[in-house]
Amino acid sequence: MAELRYTAYLDNNSIGENSEQIFYDQFDLKSNCYSHVEYIDSKPVAAIRACVLNPKEKINAIPAMEIFAKEIEQATKENDVVLETNKFVIHPSFQSRGLKLKFNLFSFIFKMAYRVNANYIIVAVRRQHANFYRCMNFYPISGAKQYPGLNFSTVLLMHKFNTVEGSFMDLSDKIKARLNIKALAA
């Protein structure tokens, strides 16, 4: 997975080259972070990570807190559970299959948020990627800030989370049509 991240981040100039040809951080080993990898023909082609901020747990830190702690604190209540989605990558050779891969990765995120009873899902992204998240009912709660170790600035977006079904059904009609999501008959 660290090799896949390296390839994807290097391809879009998000990081500089390194001799190890891997990209990881200390959160990869934390018990409150969960990674999901999509495979095609036994090759890892896309990945995403969910990190859980739960005030009732021993490990109570997520990557976004490194630069957005104030914004997270202001936007949430003391006992809220927050799931951060991060390290979202698709291998450059599989970008043409991106829509299905994105759907699978975000299905993991929404299901994980449901599993941990999250009140909010947050994500720190480049400004130009914010529209993709707005289609999933994320909204900005910060200005742009430089993230350590990356070659770009990010903004923090938030999604008020209720349930997996509610979140998917609240998607805009445009996204529902692209993903061919239809309401089930009663």
Side-chain angles (χ1 to χ4, degrees), residues 13 21 23 31 34 38 40 48 50 53 59 68 70 85 87 89 105 130-131 145-146 157 160 168-169 172 175 182:
N13 299 313
Q21 296 187 336
F23 184 71
S31 62
Y34 310 87
E38 287 287 316
I40 295 178
I48 201 163
L53 176 64
I59 296 177
F68 294 112
K70 181 180 172 187
T85 178
K87 301 299 186 249
V89 295
L105 295 173
N131 284 338
K145 293 185 178 183
Q146 184 68 38
L157 304 175
K160 177 145 178 55
F168 277 118
M169 290 301 103
S172 70
I175 294 299
K182 296 178 179 144

Side-chain angles (χ1 to χ4, degrees), residues 34-100:
Y34 310 87
S35 292
H36 176 77
V37 180
E38 287 287 316
Y39 293 86
I40 295 178
D41 297 329
S42 302
K43 295 178 186 171
V45 298
I48 201 163
R49 184 173 68 186
C51 297
V52 180
L53 176 64
N54 185 339
K56 297 176 185 166
E57 298 295 324
K58 186 166 56 172
I59 296 177
N60 199 18
I62 55 177
M65 292 176 72
E66 292 177 353
I67 61 171
F68 294 112
K70 181 180 172 187
E71 291 84 351
I72 294 168
E73 183 180 324
Q74 289 175 344
T76 61
K77 296 178 186 151
E78 186 178 335
N79 291 317
D80 284 342
V81 176
V82 177
L83 182 140
E84 178 186 355
T85 178
N86 54 50
K87 301 299 186 249
F88 167 40
V89 295
I90 297 177
H91 191 282
S93 301
F94 290 87
Q95 290 293 325
S96 64
R97 299 185 194 184
L99 189 59
K100 184 177 185 330

Side-chain angles (χ1 to χ4, degrees), residues 72-163:
I72 294 168
E73 183 180 324
Q74 289 175 344
T76 61
K77 296 178 186 151
E78 186 178 335
N79 291 317
D80 284 342
V81 176
V82 177
L83 182 140
E84 178 186 355
T85 178
N86 54 50
K87 301 299 186 249
F88 167 40
V89 295
I90 297 177
H91 191 282
S93 301
F94 290 87
Q95 290 293 325
S96 64
R97 299 185 194 184
L99 189 59
K100 184 177 185 330
L101 291 169
K102 287 176 187 178
F103 182 76
N104 291 343
L105 295 173
F106 281 93
S107 289
F108 165 77
I109 293 299
F110 282 93
K111 288 175 185 175
M112 180 63 71
Y114 182 74
R115 190 177 118 207
V116 301
N117 200 26
N119 300 95
Y120 297 96
I121 301 173
I122 61 171
V123 62
V125 298
R126 297 177 196 222
R127 278 194 171 138
Q128 65 262 37
H129 295 158
N131 284 338
F132 169 74
Y133 290 90
R134 282 191 183 107
C135 292
M136 292 185 288
N137 298 323
F138 282 79
Y139 53 91
I141 63 167
S142 80
K145 293 185 178 183
Q146 184 68 38
Y147 210 93
L150 299 177
N151 296 337
F152 56 89
S153 295
T154 60
V155 294
L156 188 65
L157 304 175
M158 178 176 267
H159 170 84
K160 177 145 178 55
F161 186 76
N162 294 316
T163 65

